[in-house]
Amino acid sequence: MSKRSSGMPKSMEGKVCAAISKYAMIEDGDRIAIGVSGGKDSVYLLYMLSKIRKYYRKKFDIHAITLDPVFNNESMDLTDIEAMCRELKVDYTVQRFDLAKLIFEQRKEKNPCSLCSKMRRGILNNESKRIGCNKIALGHNYDDVIQTFFMNLFSCGNIGCFSPKSYLSRKDIYMIRPLIFCKDEEIKRAVKKNGLPISKSKCPIDNSTNRAKTEEVIKNLERLYPDLRAKVMGALQRGHIDGWGIKNQGA
């Protein structure tokens, strides 16, 4: 007996288009800034949106932005990503800020990830507005959704997650997350298959963050509760939590 279909597209491109459609992420005339950290998710997002814009019936433009926090006093090597943007005919902006020195040396933050994320997001918002973008696309994937749900529960006692699409009123700009239906392992395989360039993070606490620890907890829970991630995703949507239950608005 065959398993019942979940209704989710099987191809990665189909999953991205499904997310864009379900949450009305893209409209005619949008100019979308893509936050490219250099990691697999953001690079794949850049690749996929550059591909989709060629045929998507709502016309939009994209502009890639990388914010380099200069970890360990060393700038990121973005040569391959720059070449990728030229090949895809995507404008590319690189901004370097000495955030690492401020966070780790001057302020000696106990929770550096939170401050770093907040400051980088503020810089990304400002840069996106400066170049005339009305939306910012971020590379959060399916597994990031589940991790964030549990991080909110474990650390703050809240039931919630980031939204697929959100509006930042003080900046008059939207945040969209087109990879929310794409799993981490699927993205890894797709990046390798397409030969996409990765610029590895030089963060001194990479892979030892609260998010990484939460992922280990989830893996342990999955041994007891099969399909845990799918159940959490379904609960977010059925519970209309943080914009996840929005009905299909077409695209």
Side-chain angles (χ1 to χ4, degrees):
M1 183 179 295
S2 62
K3 293 182 179 180
R4 184 174 57 182
S5 171
S6 65
M8 178 63 64
K10 292 183 178 180
S11 74
M12 294 289 280
E13 196 166 337
K15 290 181 179 182
V16 175
C17 287
I20 291 172
S21 176
K22 180 175 179 64
Y23 296 105
M25 294 184 183
I26 295 178
E27 300 294 343
D28 271 321
D30 279 346
R31 181 167 170 79
I32 303 171
I34 304 174
V36 180
S37 67
K40 62 176 175 44
D41 299 318
S42 61
V43 169
Y44 186 67
L45 176 63
L46 168 61
Y47 168 78
M48 191 55 68
L49 287 184
S50 70
K51 187 175 183 180
I52 289 172
R53 70 171 173 168
K54 295 177 182 178
Y55 63 80
Y56 200 63
R57 67 188 184 91
K58 293 192 175 182
K59 302 303 179 184
F60 64 96
D61 194 16
I62 55 178
H63 188 123
I65 302 176
T66 293
L67 305 179
D68 180 5
V70 194
F71 288 123
N72 300 320
N73 297 312
E74 186 178 351
S75 295
M76 297 172 64
D77 182 0
L78 300 167
T79 305
D80 290 340
I81 294 179
E82 290 172 345
M84 175 183 174
C85 286
R86 286 195 297 272
E87 182 178 344
L88 297 176
K89 295 181 172 55
V90 174
D91 291 335
Y92 185 38
T93 297
V94 178
Q95 290 284 358
R96 291 184 165 90
F97 299 88
D98 203 353
L99 294 182
K101 186 175 183 179
L102 170 66
I103 293 168
F104 292 106
E105 297 179 23
Q106 297 178 11
R107 297 187 54 158
K108 298 180 179 179
E109 283 290 318
K110 293 182 179 179
N111 187 9
C113 296
S114 177
L115 179 61
C116 184
S117 176
K118 188 177 297 185
M119 294 183 71
R120 291 171 74 173
R121 190 65 54 81
I123 295 169
L124 179 60
N125 292 343
N126 292 336
E127 185 63 21
S128 299
K129 291 295 290 185
R130 186 189 70 79
I131 60 178
C133 294
N134 65 312
K135 289 181 179 174
I136 299 174
L138 301 175
H140 294 108
N141 64 37
Y142 183 97
D143 294 279
D144 291 323
V145 174
I146 311 307
Q147 291 163 7
T148 301
F149 172 84
F150 280 108
M151 287 167 66
N152 283 337
L153 180 62
F154 295 154
S155 300
C156 306
N158 294 330
I159 300 295
C161 186
F162 53 72
S163 301
K165 174 185 174 183
S166 55
Y167 178 64
L168 189 62
S169 59
R170 67 180 180 275
K171 290 294 183 180
D172 186 29
I173 200 164
Y174 283 90
M175 298 281 186
I176 61 173
R177 296 172 167 90
L179 298 186
I180 52 172
F181 294 152
C182 299
K183 296 180 180 179
D184 193 76
E185 285 300 321
E186 294 175 326
I187 294 173
K188 286 180 182 177
R189 290 195 296 269
V191 166
K192 183 177 181 180
K193 178 181 178 181
N194 291 284
L196 303 182
I198 301 299
S199 182
K200 186 172 175 55
S201 172
K202 298 180 184 296
C203 175
I205 61 170
D206 192 32
N207 295 323
S208 62
T209 63
N210 187 30
R211 184 171 292 277
K213 294 173 183 176
T214 303
E215 174 61 21
E216 287 304 310
V217 173
I218 295 170
K219 288 180 179 178
N220 288 331
L221 287 172
E222 284 180 313
R223 296 186 180 98
L224 295 173
Y225 304 101
D227 299 323
L228 177 65
R229 294 175 205 250
K231 291 171 183 175
V232 171
M233 176 66 81
L236 286 170
Q237 294 176 324
R238 290 189 298 273
H240 295 263
I241 308 264
D242 292 335
W244 283 89
I246 295 174
K247 293 181 179 180
N248 192 321
Q249 300 179 34

